[in-house]
Amino acid sequence: MKKFIKYIPVLMAALILAMTAGMASAQIDLRFSPPDSTIEPGATTRISVMLDDAIYFRTIELTVTYDSTLIRSLGGGKGTLFSESGFFIWDGFEESVPGEWHGFAVIMGATDSLSGPGELFGWDVEGLIEGTSPIIAIETELFEPSANKYPGVGLDATTLRVRWAPTAVHDLPGLRNELDIYPNPFNPRTQI
């Protein structure tokens, strides 16, 4: 019996370590949608931050960087999960440094929460000049209904390409000459 009692602290430490390791590996992956998209200069689009897991949460907070010479931020705010919830939501969007913005959405009721999957946050952008801008989340936080931060929340980078769409040249005036070719231009002999 004494031998068993002697190992109880070791067993307890191993159990706590196993529980902690299990919690640390519980990764919540958010994603940008659409991923790696393309727009034309002067066009606008919305880039969403999506949650695919069915977990309960109360708050999203994130900071994102991008190339402000290629795209212009038009603003952002709460996603459809928040806006269609019926709860009072406090959301904000600020861009104090060119090429970096901070946004958040919070349910104001102390006992209220939402569950995924769905859109957490939306960001509207405009293409300026041709190029490819990486979009990188440098801080992503998702909070539980109890206002504790979920550990291990990830949001992989994406890209936004700004370029003109390829166009086909069909029957443009001025590019076609009126020539008489006979009898058949594919015969060994033709006259122009």
Side-chain angles (χ1 to χ4, degrees):
M1 182 70 167
K2 284 186 178 183
K3 285 184 180 182
F4 180 72
I5 293 175
K6 180 177 163 182
Y7 291 109
I8 287 180
V10 174
L11 292 173
M12 291 297 288
L15 181 62
I16 290 171
L17 183 61
M19 288 173 48
T20 305
M23 289 180 356
S25 66
Q27 177 78 17
I28 298 172
D29 293 318
L30 306 180
R31 64 181 170 83
F32 285 111
S33 178
D36 300 325
S37 55
T38 301
I39 61 171
E40 291 187 354
T44 61
T45 191
R46 182 176 182 91
I47 299 173
S48 299
V49 176
M50 305 296 290
L51 170 68
D52 294 325
D53 298 320
I55 60 167
Y56 287 93
F57 63 92
R58 183 173 174 198
T59 304
I60 175 84
E61 186 171 358
L62 60 157
T63 303
V64 173
T65 63
Y66 65 97
D67 187 340
S68 62
T69 63
L70 302 176
I71 56 178
R72 176 187 359 246
S73 175
L74 301 176
K78 61 185 176 265
T80 54
L81 277 176
F82 286 99
S83 62
E84 295 176 358
S85 68
F87 297 130
F88 179 72
I89 309 296
W90 177 42
D91 67 323
F93 182 89
E94 63 179 352
E95 188 171 12
S96 55
V97 177
E100 181 178 306
W101 60 261
H102 174 257
F104 63 90
V106 182
I107 297 174
M108 296 309 293
T111 59
D112 299 327
S113 65
L114 296 173
S115 176
E119 182 190 36
L120 297 174
F121 205 83
W123 177 41
D124 298 314
V125 298
E126 175 187 16
L128 297 176
I129 61 172
E130 289 189 294
T132 300
S133 172
I135 298 171
I136 301 168
I138 56 175
E139 179 182 66
T140 307
E141 296 177 335
L142 195 62
F143 292 84
E144 301 172 347
S146 62
N148 293 322
K149 194 184 319 180
Y150 275 109
V153 176
L155 178 56
D156 289 339
T158 190
T159 58
L160 179 62
R161 285 178 295 283
V162 181
R163 70 173 183 213
W164 291 105
T167 58
V169 177
H170 292 290
D171 194 16
L172 298 176
L175 294 180
R176 195 174 95 199
N177 291 326
E178 298 293 328
L179 298 176
D180 270 345
I181 301 175
Y182 62 92
N184 182 338
F186 300 105
N187 284 341
R189 293 179 139 195
T190 59
Q191 287 187 330
I192 299 176

